[in-house]
Amino acid sequence: MLWAMRRVQQNEVRSIERLFRDQATSLDLGNQMLLVAVNEHPMVRLWVALPDYDLLEAYYGFDRCKRSDMPVAPYLIAGCSRLFGSVFHAL
């Protein structure tokens, strides 16, 4: 799984979420994609998990990162809640 991150203004989150949902609906048959966030008022830090590097091109300004660079407790914006739980809430 490929992870990428970008800091955005709160008002930009909605358009990125729409892009993600459109892409996931048509390309994520295995429910592997996630869009997660952490609020950093007034900014929001977003991470996207993608199964294929080619999908990253659609996410302008996102930089690849490691899973280990992510916060312990982001919140799920879109994607498979079961996968989110296993990635971020596994004991």
Side-chain angles (χ1 to χ4, degrees), residues 59-74:
Y59 296 90
Y60 175 78
F62 278 75
D63 295 317
R64 289 186 70 177
C65 65
K66 297 178 186 174
R67 166 64 181 95
S68 60
D69 296 334
M70 297 180 63
V72 176

Side-chain angles (χ1 to χ4, degrees), residues 6-22:
R6 178 178 173 199
R7 285 185 78 215
V8 299
Q9 296 286 333
Q10 181 67 41
N11 63 355
E12 296 176 84
V13 173
R14 195 110 154 119
S15 65
I16 295 168
E17 180 182 357
R18 277 194 302 268
L19 166 65
F20 178 90
R21 288 185 186 277
D22 288 347

Side-chain angles (χ1 to χ4, degrees), residues 66-84:
K66 297 178 186 174
R67 166 64 181 95
S68 60
D69 296 334
M70 297 180 63
V72 176
Y75 63 91
L76 179 66
I77 294 178
C80 178
S81 60
R82 199 169 326 150
L83 175 62
F84 175 76

